Amino acid sequence: MFQSPPNVAKTIQITFEEKTYQVAPAQTVAAALMGEGHLMLRKSLVSGETRAAFCMMGICFDCLLEIDGQPNQQSCMIQVREGMNIQRQLKKGECA
Amino acid sequence: MSLPQYDYVIIGAGPAGMAAAVEARQHGLNVLVLDEQPAVGGQIYRNIEDLEEQRPDEFQKLGADYQEAFELAQRFRASGAEYRPGRSIWQIDPDLTLYHIGQDGGPSETCHAQRILIATGAMERPMPFPGWTLPGVLACTAADVLYKSSGLLPRGEIVLLGSGPLLLLIACRLLDAGVKIAAYLDTNPHLAPFQALPYLPKALRGHEYLRKGIAMLWQMFTSGAKVHLGVTGLEADGEGHLQKVRFQQGSAPWKELPADLLLLHHGVVPNIQITRQLGCEHTWYEKQRYWEPVLDQWGNTSIENVAVAGDSGRVCGSANSVLTGRLAALETARALGKIDLAQQTALAAPLLKKQDQELAIRPFLDTLFPPRHPWLVPKNEETLVCRCEEVRVREIRDAVRLGALSPDRVKPMVRCGMGPCQARMCGLTVSEIIADERQVSPADVGYFRVRSPIKPVTLGQLTGVE
Ligand SMILES: Cc1cc2nc3c(=O)[nH]c(=O)nc-3n(C[C@H](O)[C@H](O)[C@H](O)COP(=O)(O)OP(=O)(O)OC[C@H]3O[C@@H](n4cnc5c(N)ncnc54)[C@H](O)[C@@H]3O)c2cc1C
Ligand code: FES
């Protein structure tokens, strides 16, 4: 769905759902995951339908992920950090 | 514990906030700038410093205003204003105590300001239709953010839906970057150009914008994308993610297109979360159908020592945001005794003149791209309005029929606006639906009461807050 640019230095290692990825720094978690082909980020609170980042500016709260053990993090607002561990929130009602 | 004290706390490091900080520092004010983004630039100039350094070719392509904005960012960095990225304001008290948390889950902190500037910008107007929650459907500005922040470009069957200069601008930016757009579904009513004609003579004073607009239209129409005008209905469909869209033009039969990515835009509206939480007076701007804080020429709100600059006051673009930021800072410098009224008037004169020029095109644009039905009130009653609590048009209408005549009355009955986004994504639509059901204006229906915390705060983050 989105194509990462060629020739960027991917200097940061993150783990998403137990798999590791090398990604470029100075970008948000949601962007990094989209660059790796992960569009679907979570299931919705009520019906459990799949959701993905929608606004990329902290408005919609559709990009919530568990980051380093903390649930409900707005992944479009948080920059990737070396060694970050990221999990999807797949259970219904898991959101704040 | 004594709180950190500042003369001036500015919320937002976009064009408005950065310009205000630079101006305020020139008059010797002690300034703190808080922004929830990890970097300076606001929405339009996202990631501008990194872009200039890491991707100079793309930076060049973005044009002269990016160079100017980069210089503004450098002046801001050198200004001596304290800048704290990654901090979200979640509450402001009437005595101008501010509460902010770290985006990374860091603890809440508190400070106090003599004067506050709210420069929180604009956000996309919600544009609900069946299927707008499917992965693969994004706000068009989200695609722009992905490009500027990470160099990501959309690929596959790309469909754009909506109207307005920003959609066109972002479409052309994608085309410039080599992206192939499959279809451009324009929702603008055919009559709008005629209605906008009376404003054309004034708009000609901003002819550079007009010239750009015509060039962009030409680029879009000759790009090979299928352009469909006057689109009045849309449904997005797919298993777990977007696979196709169906659209309708007036009463013509529905047509179907394959789609991997659908980018939406129905104009942007001021981000009024903080001015609402503070209790500033707001008014309904009928032409663009949104609420805006009531402001004077310096950006002062109805609450003493609280001002607004940039698109969170009224959506007028980044050049005007810079001007309103500077004007607001001059007012603060005067109010705090750093300059007198005569100095303020003299310093403001060239800014006001420039602003007059800058705003000349706005009445034309605001009339040319009116927000419109059925994108304001979805025709399909099963359309999700509240994405968080998954509330549908039908449920809101039913609540109104049962006597809930305002958003705050509808809210406890159907839960819309109670999710983590706190009505950012449904607020305007809920007001529009209630107004439509009652056959009155949204101005009579009102908006949700915005309560603190305006960003979700965990108990852990609150440890230590008094
Ligand atoms: C995603 C997006 C992309 C856009 N792209 C373009 C473009 O390419 N070209 C164009 O002409 N116009 C664009 N616009 C319109 C553009 O926003 C404005 O013209 C201009 O950016 C307004 O500047 P500003 O300083 O008022 O606000 P912004 O640039 O929006 O800056 C506001 C800042 O406030 C911060 N903020 C908001 N709420 C809080 C809070 N509670 N706590 C802390 N910080 C907060 C935000 O993080 C943001 O950095 C875009 C708008 C959006 C929403
Ligand atoms: S994508 Fe909307 S809040 Fe993150």
Side-chain angles (χ1 to χ4, degrees), chain B residues 15-16 35-37 43-44 87 89 121 141 169 173 311 317-318:
Chain B
D35 192 305
E36 57 185 353
Q37 297 289 341
Q43 302 306 349
I44 170 167
R87 303 298 301 180
I89 295 287
T141 46
L169 181 77
R173 201 172 283 151
D311 278 7
S318 59

Side-chain angles (χ1 to χ4, degrees), chain A residues 3 27 44 47 49-50 62, chain B residues 46 133 150 153 240 387 390:
Chain A
Q3 198 159 8
Q27 59 173 339
S44 74
S47 67
E49 63 175 35
T50 53
D62 261 327
Chain B
R46 276 277 191 135
T133 49
S150 312
L153 288 172
R387 297 168 68 101
E390 301 186 24

Side-chain angles (χ1 to χ4, degrees), chain B residues 92-406:
Chain B
I92 303 181
D93 289 345
D95 70 353
L96 306 196
T97 303
L98 297 96
Y99 302 77
H100 53 99
I101 45 169
Q103 265 303 324
D104 55 0
S108 184
E109 292 178 33
T110 313
C111 63
H112 182 264
Q114 300 279 333
R115 286 182 56 97
I116 289 180
L117 182 66
I118 299 164
T120 51
M123 55 183 225
E124 293 262 2
R125 177 195 300 281
M127 193 180 192
F129 53 80
W132 75 308
T133 49
L134 272 175
V137 182
L138 279 86
C140 82
T141 46
D144 195 52
V145 164
L146 286 166
Y147 176 58
K148 287 176 193 164
S149 72
S150 312
L152 293 187
L153 288 172
R155 61 161 184 224
E157 291 291 317
I158 298 153
V159 179
L160 271 56
L161 169 80
S163 73
L166 197 50
L167 184 67
L168 202 54
L169 181 77
I170 289 172
C172 290
R173 201 172 283 151
L174 293 177
L175 291 171
D176 285 341
V179 172
K180 213 175 143 267
I181 294 174
Y184 188 92
L185 309 180
D186 192 322
T187 57
N188 216 31
H190 298 309
L191 270 179
F194 297 103
Q195 280 151 352
L197 267 184
Y199 302 102
L200 187 59
K202 188 170 180 207
L204 286 170
R205 287 173 47 211
H207 54 84
E208 189 46 28
Y209 286 113
L210 280 182
R211 192 195 58 75
K212 253 194 198 164
I214 292 165
M216 290 194 299
L217 275 174
W218 178 256
Q219 186 181 6
M220 193 66 232
F221 274 92
T222 54
S223 69
K226 284 228 150 49
V227 179
H228 301 274
L229 299 176
V231 171
T232 51
L234 194 108
E235 288 175 12
D237 206 356
E239 283 296 318
H241 61 92
L242 178 73
Q243 288 164 320
K244 58 187 175 214
V245 298
R246 281 184 291 278
F247 68 97
Q248 193 179 30
Q249 292 155 291
S251 53
W254 287 77
K255 292 181 191 150
E256 190 174 294
L257 291 172
D260 297 310
L261 208 62
L262 174 61
L263 304 178
L264 313 178
H265 184 69
H266 197 200
V268 294
V269 302
N271 177 354
I272 53 171
Q273 219 68 10
I274 293 182
T275 43
R276 285 270 180 196
Q277 185 264 313
L278 255 166
C280 300
E281 195 186 325
H282 289 73
T283 175
W284 177 251
Y285 178 42
E286 173 60 29
K287 224 172 211 166
Q288 280 292 306
R289 297 186 85 87
Y290 57 59
W291 271 280
E292 58 185 23
V294 177
L295 306 177
D296 68 11
Q297 72 164 339
W298 307 103
N300 293 313
T301 66
S302 61
I303 294 184
E304 214 180 337
N305 295 323
V306 176
V308 174
D311 278 7
S312 48
R314 174 177 287 187
V315 176
C316 291
S318 59
N320 184 62
S321 295
V322 167
L323 296 170
T324 53
R326 293 183 62 187
L327 288 166
L330 286 176
E331 172 76 347
T332 288
R334 188 202 50 80
L336 298 184
K338 301 287 182 185
I339 53 176
D340 61 25
L341 186 61
Q343 285 169 306
Q344 180 187 13
T345 312
L347 288 165
L351 303 179
L352 289 168
K353 197 168 157 219
K354 237 169 138 182
Q355 186 175 41
D356 193 47
Q357 169 93 17
E358 200 48 55
L359 295 182
I361 194 163
R362 279 290 146 182
F364 177 73
L365 284 183
D366 285 357
T367 316
L368 186 60
F369 299 107
R372 74 171 304 202
H373 289 284
W375 311 102
L376 295 170
V377 177
K379 264 190 287 195
N380 186 322
E381 300 266 293
E382 295 306 312
T383 306
L384 280 187
V385 173
C386 168
R387 297 168 68 101
C388 299
E389 297 289 339
E390 301 186 24
V391 182
R392 295 165 200 279
V393 177
R394 170 178 47 77
E395 296 168 85
I396 297 166
R397 286 199 188 274
D398 285 347
V400 180
R401 287 184 201 125
L402 287 172
L405 301 184
S406 69

Side-chain angles (χ1 to χ4, degrees), chain B residues 71-84:
Chain B
E71 285 157 19
L72 174 60
Q74 283 185 312
R75 282 204 302 282
F76 169 60
R77 289 284 191 185
S79 70
E82 182 180 341
Y83 163 55
R84 301 206 40 202

Side-chain angles (χ1 to χ4, degrees), chain B residues 36-91:
Chain B
E36 57 185 353
Q37 297 289 341
V40 303
Q43 302 306 349
I44 170 167
Y45 303 120
R46 276 277 191 135
N47 204 31
I48 188 153
E49 296 170 316
D50 184 66
L51 199 63
E52 196 266 354
E53 193 184 321
Q54 302 293 331
R55 294 188 272 146
D57 294 350
E58 284 164 51
F59 178 78
Q60 287 301 329
K61 258 199 241 165
L62 286 167
D65 38 334
Y66 281 74
Q67 185 57 44
E68 255 173 59
F70 178 70
E71 285 157 19
L72 174 60
Q74 283 185 312
R75 282 204 302 282
F76 169 60
R77 289 284 191 185
S79 70
E82 182 180 341
Y83 163 55
R84 301 206 40 202
R87 303 298 301 180
S88 287
I89 295 287
W90 61 271
Q91 178 177 313

